[in-house]
Amino acid sequence: MWTQRIKTGLVTTTAAAALLLLAACGPSPSPSGTSSAPPTSSTPTSSTPSASATSSPPSATATATPSPSATATSAAPAAPGLCKAASLTAATDATGGGAAGSIYEKLILTNSGSAPCILEGFAGVSLTADANGEPIGEPATRETTTPVTKIELAPGKSAWAEIRYTQAGNYGDCTKVAAAGFRIYPPNDTASLFIPEPHDACSNAGIKLLTITAFQAV
């Protein structure tokens, strides 16, 4: 009988162990009361453009392409050139009188051209045999007590310098030659003008009958 109980217990124990082994090998039961719900995706919100992303209208202060300036000035006119013999007329005025064997005259140059010109400095003056002849004797000596000034002569305007003529008879060693008038070279010019005015000239060198001052405005 004791032997029978031991056998029965072994059978029972063996059966229980088998059940436990089967339970361990089977699938694990899902946890009760919990179901694995699929992950929810967030609903995308409507894409409303933000205020900062909205393109703003062009600024009212945007600068336009500059237009040519209305104040642009045209090229400045050319400065007047020097007065030349071709656009001058020459004359003398002997009303200045004389003293001690000398005659004082005004040499007057007038702008006969159509444009202003500049007269500045001393004229070259000599006595000459005729309008096309060579100078006779010494040319005029410059009298520098009168300052040199720049004179702009408008068309028709004049400037003057003073000529002093010393009588040829004042010089005992003068070789007299009849002169028909004055040859006048304007300042800085190689062309000349002729003023008919008879005088005695000295053909020998070293005798200076003429002096001339710088030109002055009338």
Side-chain angles (χ1 to χ4, degrees):
M1 187 171 179
W2 178 253
T3 304
Q4 184 65 34
R5 286 180 180 177
I6 292 173
K7 288 182 180 179
T8 303
L10 290 172
V11 171
T12 303
T13 302
T14 303
L19 287 174
L20 289 174
L21 181 62
L22 288 173
C25 295
S28 299
S30 299
S32 61
T34 62
S35 61
S36 59
T40 59
S41 60
S42 59
T43 305
T45 58
S46 59
S47 58
T48 303
S50 64
S52 61
T54 306
S55 60
S56 58
S59 172
T61 60
T63 57
T65 302
S67 58
S69 174
T71 60
T73 56
S74 58
L82 296 176
C83 297
K84 298 296 184 178
S87 60
L88 294 170
T89 57
T92 55
D93 179 0
T95 58
S102 297
I103 299 173
Y104 291 88
E105 299 181 281
K106 285 184 177 179
L107 168 61
I108 302 168
L109 295 185
T110 301
N111 182 0
S112 58
S114 59
C117 64
I118 298 297
L119 195 66
E120 182 179 12
F122 298 86
V125 181
S126 297
L127 292 165
T128 184
D130 53 50
N132 299 313
E134 293 295 323
I136 302 172
E138 297 285 342
T141 301
R142 293 180 177 183
E143 176 57 70
T144 58
T145 56
T146 301
V148 173
T149 58
K150 182 181 289 187
I151 304 165
E152 182 174 333
L153 289 185
K157 296 299 182 179
S158 303
W160 65 275
E162 186 178 72
I163 296 176
R164 186 184 72 179
Y165 166 74
T166 303
Q167 300 287 354
N170 291 349
Y171 299 90
D173 56 347
C174 171
T175 303
K176 290 185 181 179
V177 176
F182 294 112
R183 181 171 299 286
I184 308 296
Y185 292 87
N188 304 300
D189 197 2
T190 57
S192 63
L193 302 163
F194 177 73
I195 300 175
E197 187 176 314
H199 290 286
D200 286 334
C202 295
S203 62
N204 48 323
I207 299 177
K208 299 181 181 296
L209 301 181
L210 303 174
T211 62
I212 184 74
T213 67
F215 279 99
Q216 305 172 58
V218 172

